[in-house]
Amino acid sequence: MARMPRQSSRRPRTPAHTHTHAHPVDELLPIPRLALYGFQHVLAFYAAAVIVPVLLGNALGLSRQELVHLINADLLTCGVASIIQALGVWKVGARLPLVQGVTFTAVSPMIAIGTGAGGGTAGLLVVYGAVITAGMATFLFAPLFSKLVKYFPPVVIGTILTIIGITLIPVALQDAAGGAHLIGTPAYGDPKNLAYALGTLLFILAVVRIGKPFLSSLAVLLGLVVGTAAAWLFGDADFAAVRETDWFGVTTPFHYGMPRFELLPIVAMLVVVLITMVETTGDVYAIGEITRKKVDADTVARALRADGAATVLGGILNSFPYVAFAENIGLVRMSKVMSRYVVVAAGVFMVVLGLLPKAGSLVASVPHPVLGGAAVSMFGIVAAVGVQILGKADLREERNTLILAVSLGAALLPTTVAPFFDRMPDDLRAVLDSGITLGALTAITLNLLFNVFTRRTTREIDWDGMGEDEAPEPEFGAHPAR
């Protein structure tokens, strides 16, 4: 009898809660907070966003002017894609706080495709033909792929997210050591660089530990600002390039010429987007796990359509394949700011940066070690979210344990035994010479072999218990996620 009054007392409050408070994902914050949180996403995202065009441009032998145009095109497309993903247009966009960026999975294949086509802008045209085709395939295949989610249980999604985090952490550590461009020089690994990275990381941890909820949510932004200021005081932050950069620049469609559509590059890029579709699926479930927002097949389909539309747009605007950025998922977890409108604000900032090369140059002046120190925490959180989802899989079952173990080993193969891939044919290397790609393919294949073809049941993520009554409080950061 003691339970009956408790049940009756809750009934009047449930509708009021439902109608009075929006889910934190859908809450529209005041403009100053939107701007602050959005700019924090841009800073956290920027280094990883520009590294892909830099790597590709250098590998294909592009001139400095062509490289700057490539970076501006990337930023502009990232902004538009992020707005579409977070805001939602028709059946395109997950309406979740997901920042869109160039997928690292496509870097090695695009370099192989471009160099195989002769390098330079001629190689870019073949890359863009494959990108546009792959984007159209992603958009059209999205509804069917979303219905295959049952074949991606927590052991697969968690493994892929863990692999993404583990493979990104070395990128952050390279920045902490001074940046990949310094490898082989005495400056790489200089104690001064490591001091900037460690100082930035410790400052972020201190703000999270002792700061009030609002201040803690800005920990990464404050860490980047303070770290850059310290580097400037000691003469290690150079803003000279900002003065030399033009104020305004417009990205024109097909700037390098009309794309060329060739069969083998298209096949290689289709394999890449298959992996990125699994990656996006994992990211969507991860952000649902963090925000306690229910995710279903329709949500996944809308997210994948946004990826496809952004990838087609990228091929037209001289950019690349796009995917939900896992590092910014780590930032959402760290800041506890769940509003998707923050990502819309970040998208606006990115569009502005894409049109104002001088503004983008200012953000690019953040020293590599400072970015590396902040990125270590965010990339690590991506892996932690993967581990959290793995907790929903029964790892006492030997087959699930083997899926995780072998996939992790496969993901580390490209970075630990690079000469093995150097001996492969270019077309095959374009597909397999990526830890994320190889690890994801391994997890998917083993799950099909062990759990699907043998008709074994797999445990799915239980979203029924993640209703609005369990959603985080509107005061972000005031209560830790349970």
Side-chain angles (χ1 to χ4, degrees):
M1 294 180 64
R3 294 181 181 174
M4 292 184 65
R6 187 159 62 245
Q7 291 173 348
S8 60
S9 64
R10 287 188 63 180
R11 286 173 185 162
R13 289 201 300 268
T14 301
H17 173 81
T18 300
H19 294 290
T20 304
H21 300 292
H23 191 285
V25 166
D26 300 312
E27 185 170 0
L28 183 60
L29 304 179
I31 291 179
R33 292 175 66 186
L34 280 178
L36 274 173
Y37 292 138
F39 191 61
Q40 179 174 237
H41 269 289
V42 172
L43 286 179
F45 148 99
Y46 189 88
V50 301
I51 194 63
V52 173
V54 168
L55 289 174
L56 181 62
N58 289 337
L60 298 186
L62 299 183
S63 67
R64 176 178 173 80
Q65 184 178 1
E66 290 168 337
L67 185 58
V68 169
H69 186 90
L70 215 58
I71 293 173
N72 288 342
D74 178 30
L75 288 171
L76 177 66
T77 313
C78 284
V80 175
S82 297
I83 292 171
I84 292 173
Q85 186 70 275
L87 197 59
V89 179
W90 183 59
K91 295 182 179 181
V92 181
R95 295 180 175 87
L96 291 169
L98 291 168
V99 173
Q100 296 292 101
V102 180
T103 174
F104 285 95
T105 308
V107 174
S108 296
M110 288 193 299
I111 290 175
I113 292 171
T115 53
T121 56
L124 275 180
L125 297 181
V126 179
V127 169
Y128 291 145
V131 167
I132 292 173
T133 306
M136 294 174 64
T138 302
F139 189 93
L140 296 174
F141 190 57
L144 176 59
F145 190 89
S146 67
K147 295 177 182 178
L148 302 178
V149 169
K150 62 182 178 180
Y151 297 120
F152 304 103
V155 68
V156 174
I157 298 296
T159 296
I160 291 174
L161 282 172
T162 303
I163 286 171
I164 292 171
I166 289 175
T167 53
L168 288 178
I169 287 174
V171 177
L173 294 177
Q174 283 185 348
D175 274 335
H181 63 289
L182 294 181
I183 293 177
T185 69
Y188 187 71
D190 189 294
K192 180 173 59 175
N193 293 333
L194 299 176
Y196 286 135
L198 182 60
T200 301
L201 179 59
L202 290 176
F203 181 86
I204 291 172
L205 295 176
V207 172
V208 172
R209 174 64 181 84
I210 65 178
K212 293 182 179 180
F214 176 74
L215 198 61
S216 296
S217 65
L218 293 172
V220 173
L221 174 61
L222 294 174
L224 290 171
V225 171
V226 170
T228 301
W232 179 76
L233 287 174
F234 287 99
D236 292 315
D238 185 10
F239 297 97
V242 178
R243 294 191 296 269
E244 300 170 1
T245 306
D246 293 335
W247 274 105
F248 186 74
V250 179
T251 298
T252 55
F254 306 122
H255 174 77
Y256 300 102
M258 294 304 295
R260 289 167 49 196
F261 299 88
E262 298 184 5
L263 181 59
L264 286 179
I266 288 174
V267 172
M269 197 58 63
L270 287 175
V271 174
V272 169
V273 295
L274 175 62
I275 302 304
T276 61
M277 290 171 82
V278 178
E279 183 181 341
T280 290
T281 301
D283 290 339
V284 170
Y285 276 102
I287 201 69
E289 180 87 1
I290 291 169
T291 62
R292 294 193 175 272
K293 182 80 170 178
K294 185 173 181 178
V295 170
D296 55 20
D298 182 61
T299 309
V300 173
R302 287 188 278 110
L304 293 175
R305 286 194 191 97
D307 278 3
T311 299
V312 172
L313 184 64
I316 294 172
L317 294 180
N318 322 293
S319 194
F320 313 102
Y322 286 86
V323 69
F325 240 38
E327 38 269 73
N328 288 80
I329 293 175
L331 181 56
V332 172
R333 173 69 173 269
M334 204 168 175
S335 68
K336 300 184 178 69
V337 179
M338 317 290 181
S339 174
R340 59 192 173 100
Y341 296 103
V342 168
V343 172
V344 175
V348 173
F349 276 120
M350 284 185 269
V351 170
V352 171
L353 289 174
L355 296 175
L356 299 176
K358 190 177 287 291
S361 180
L362 178 63
V363 179
S365 299
V366 176
H368 282 276
V370 174
L371 285 170
V376 165
S377 61
M378 292 183 297
F379 294 169
I381 285 177
V382 174
V385 172
V387 172
Q388 182 178 342
I389 293 179
L390 281 170
K392 298 180 180 295
D394 184 6
L395 293 181
R396 294 171 298 182
E397 168 57 53
E398 183 180 13
R399 299 189 182 197
N400 287 339
T401 305
L402 282 173
I403 291 172
L404 172 61
V406 176
S407 300
L408 288 175
L412 295 176
L413 186 59
T415 55
T416 54
V417 195
F420 173 75
F421 295 89
D422 292 339
R423 295 182 174 92
M424 287 184 176
D426 289 343
D427 295 329
L428 187 59
R429 187 172 72 245
V431 176
L432 297 180
D433 192 11
S434 164
I436 296 174
T437 302
L438 199 56
L441 282 174
T442 303
I444 294 168
T445 303
L446 290 179
N447 180 66
L448 291 173
L449 178 64
F450 285 165
N451 294 325
V452 177
F453 296 154
T454 55
R455 300 184 181 274
R456 292 167 58 90
T457 58
T458 54
R459 181 180 175 185
E460 296 182 0
I461 298 176
D462 179 18
W463 295 101
D464 293 336
M466 295 187 179
E468 291 191 1
D469 288 339
E470 289 187 53
E473 298 292 333
E475 287 295 326
F476 304 108
H479 303 282
R482 291 187 291 274

